[in-house]
Amino acid sequence: MISSKDNAKIKAAKKLVTSAKARRDSGMFVLEGTRLSAEALGDNIRICEMYYTNNVAASNPTLISNLRARANFETEVSESVFEKISDTCSPQGVLLVVQFKAPVSVPDNGRFLAFEMVQDPSNLGAAARTAEALGFAGIILSKNGADPYSPKSLRASMGALLRLP
């Protein structure tokens, strides 16, 4: 149980929440909430670390048990510590530090949605949801746009950015 906001692992997780540079440098990003955490189980994403509160463990025991079995490191944290690392106003009590997926080659066929310099992470997430709903094969992003691994992009995409190449 981690109850100190000054814990090194907590500080590192918070850095991944707030910094695109930290995400790129480490090759890891954060998934927060029960929906995105469940997506990580279905997508065979490598779960490096898992932080959860007692409340979410009590209300979602199967999800937490499955996540704990897949995580390299897992620990319960106090509510105050979770509020520190959370990116949301009303945290759900589960946060995963996961590894970037390996890059994929662009398939020879299929429809793709291409973005050049999309700045708003919420717009990127919403467009990814739409692309997935319309059956697009993937998304192509320019290097200088919104970070697809930012917590805001991932939440707005409702997991579509995890599923689409």
Side-chain angles (χ1 to χ4, degrees), residues 2-5 10 77-86:
I2 296 176
S3 58
S4 170
K5 295 177 185 177
I10 296 302
V77 298
S78 68
E79 294 287 337
S80 62
V81 168
F82 199 85
E83 287 175 10
K84 176 185 170 124
I85 59 176
S86 176

Side-chain angles (χ1 to χ4, degrees), residues 46-146:
R46 183 169 176 251
I47 303 171
C48 302
E49 299 173 10
M50 174 188 172
Y51 302 95
Y52 63 95
T53 63
N54 183 48
N55 288 341
V56 77
S59 62
N60 294 288
T62 303
L63 173 64
I64 297 304
S65 176
N66 290 339
L67 290 168
R68 289 177 71 194
R70 289 263 310 274
N72 292 344
F73 170 83
E74 53 87 12
T75 189
E76 184 178 335
V77 298
S78 68
E79 294 287 337
S80 62
V81 168
F82 199 85
E83 287 175 10
K84 176 185 170 124
I85 59 176
S86 176
D87 187 53
T88 61
C89 296
S90 301
Q92 294 181 5
V94 60
L95 183 139
L96 307 176
V97 175
V98 300
Q99 194 169 43
F100 284 177
K101 287 184 170 182
V104 295
S105 301
V106 177
D108 292 338
N109 56 16
R111 294 179 304 160
F112 295 88
L113 189 57
F115 291 105
E116 183 175 358
M117 295 179 23
V118 171
Q119 297 302 308
D120 187 324
S122 293
N123 289 346
L124 174 59
R129 267 194 344 257
T130 302
E132 182 180 45
L134 294 174
F136 280 62
I139 299 173
I140 300 169
L141 302 172
S142 64
K143 288 185 181 183
N144 48 359

